[in-house]
């Protein structure tokens, strides 16, 4: 969370950063890049302050995940954990009808930028929902936004405690269609923070399931993506 002075500075510079971020997004849209290059750019698009777009991901891992998601030809993607929008930008290139991305924190005008993420010609509509994914009213808002459509791909990258990730899975995985995918970020055992406990949940949920582990280096600290296919 930014401090008071940092918040004031960010507010002061927001118009410049906003303009810069929209320019970078337009350049990305106009570049007409293959998926691998979109992923590379999305995780460090740039700009600053409230409008900085980036993602803390291992490039090989998030590229492999993006390919799995692309193969689904997804209509609808749901993401828990927007943060700086890096992964949402990738999903906005892949979802053909709707992207819903959720976060606890409202970053001023950042949602305007996220809603502009889909490339030209895409029919994807982006909803940025602010609130606690664990709240039942929030889950109702997600369902209303889905408007009866099943989710093709669910990315769980919000609360990283074991209880938190288990709750997100219990609440949102039932919205995923048979044959759809649920992915979890930060599944490797060795984590930089004690609160990164996704690996504990992953070890339980993968038992007997159709899963794939995307891990760049088995000895790495942090990261790693677990992908679970919902039985058809
Ligand atoms: C690791 S970041 C997400 C990164 C993003 N998916 C990316 O790679 O570009 C986790 C985000 O989840 C949000 N978060 C944590 N707990 C949450 C909750 N209970 N509901 C909604 N968002 C939550 C945090 O505010 C944070 O921005």
């Amino acid at each position: 969370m930014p401090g008071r002075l940092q918040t004031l500075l960010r507010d002061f510079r927001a118009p410049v950063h906003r303009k810069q971020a929209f320019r970078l997004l337009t350049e990305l849209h106009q570049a007409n890049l293959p998926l691998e290059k979109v992923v590379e750019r999305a995780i460090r698009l740039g700009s600053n302050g409230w409008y900085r777009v980036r993602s803390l991901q291992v490039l090989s891992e998030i590229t492999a995940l993006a390919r799995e998601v692309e193969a689904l030809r997804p209509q609808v993607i749901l993401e828990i954990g927007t943060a700086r929008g890096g992964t949402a930008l990738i999903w906005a290139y892949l979802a053909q009808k709707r992207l819903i991305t959720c976060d606890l924190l409202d970053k001023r005008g950042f949602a305007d930028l996220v809603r502009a993420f889909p490339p030209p010609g895409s029919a994807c509509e982006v909803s940025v929902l602010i609130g606690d994914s664990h709240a039942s009213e929030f889950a109702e808002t997600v369902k209303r936004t889905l408007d009866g459509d099943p989710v093709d791909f669910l990315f769980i990258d919000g609360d990283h405690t074991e209880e938190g990730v288990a709750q997100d899975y219990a609440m949102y995985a039932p919205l995923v269609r048979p044959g759809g995918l649920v992915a979890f970020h930060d599944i490797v055992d060795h984590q930089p923070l004690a609160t990164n406990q996704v690996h504990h949940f992953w070890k339980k949920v993968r038992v007997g399931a159709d899963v794939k582990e995307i891990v760049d280096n088995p000895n790495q600290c942090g990261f790693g993506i677990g992908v679970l296919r919902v039985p058809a």
Side-chain angles (χ1 to χ4, degrees):
M1 281 287 283
R4 227 175 109 83
L5 179 63
Q6 202 181 4
T7 301
L8 277 171
L9 283 173
R10 281 186 179 185
D11 285 346
F12 180 71
R13 293 178 181 149
V16 174
H17 294 154
R18 181 184 170 98
K19 208 169 158 188
Q20 184 184 43
F22 274 95
R23 181 179 49 74
L24 290 166
L25 182 62
T26 303
E27 282 171 15
L28 175 67
H29 284 162
Q30 289 174 346
N32 201 14
L33 299 169
L35 180 63
E36 287 71 15
K37 292 287 168 198
V38 169
V39 172
E40 207 177 311
R41 292 274 284 273
I43 64 171
R44 53 178 81 94
L45 188 74
S47 195
N48 272 297
W50 299 121
Y51 290 91
R52 187 171 187 208
V53 179
R54 62 160 298 174
S55 176
L56 265 183
Q57 298 282 339
V58 174
L59 182 60
S60 68
E61 294 179 356
I62 193 67
T63 304
L65 177 63
R67 283 204 203 95
E68 295 277 336
V69 177
E70 183 187 37
L72 280 178
R73 302 177 64 82
Q75 292 289 310
V76 178
I77 295 179
L78 171 61
E79 170 177 78
I80 310 294
T82 315
R84 305 300 331 155
T87 46
L89 180 50
I90 301 167
W91 314 143
Y93 265 77
L94 294 172
Q96 288 165 28
K97 181 173 180 186
R98 192 184 300 287
L99 165 65
I100 303 176
T101 181
C102 312
D103 208 287
L104 278 174
L105 307 173
D106 183 9
K107 298 182 195 78
R108 314 290 163 103
F110 188 64
D112 296 342
L113 181 68
V114 177
R115 281 189 284 269
F117 277 176
S122 166
C124 176
E125 195 178 301
V126 180
S127 299
V128 181
L129 303 183
I130 305 299
D132 180 356
S133 64
H134 301 149
S136 52
E137 317 83 68
F138 190 83
E140 287 309 314
T141 306
V142 171
K143 284 180 200 156
R144 261 198 315 280
T145 310
L146 284 169
D147 196 24
D149 286 334
V151 172
D152 298 285
F153 171 57
L154 166 64
F155 189 48
I156 299 184
D157 193 17
D159 181 344
H160 279 47
T161 64
E162 183 177 2
E163 197 188 356
V165 72
Q167 222 171 321
D168 282 334
Y169 181 73
M171 291 173 77
Y172 300 102
L175 303 175
V176 181
R177 69 164 169 85
L181 297 176
V182 182
F184 305 85
H185 193 226
D186 285 315
I187 58 152
V188 300
D189 283 354
H190 187 202
Q191 290 288 334
L193 299 172
T195 46
N196 280 9
Q197 300 163 348
V198 180
H199 56 109
H200 294 306
F201 179 71
W202 176 246
K203 285 200 185 83
K204 292 175 190 163
V205 79
R206 72 182 174 186
V207 176
D210 177 0
V211 298
K212 183 178 224 177
E213 297 187 352
I214 304 172
V215 178
D216 186 65
N217 176 340
N219 301 316
Q220 73 195 32
C221 176
F223 308 102
I225 299 171
V227 188
L228 180 148
R229 190 174 297 275
V230 173

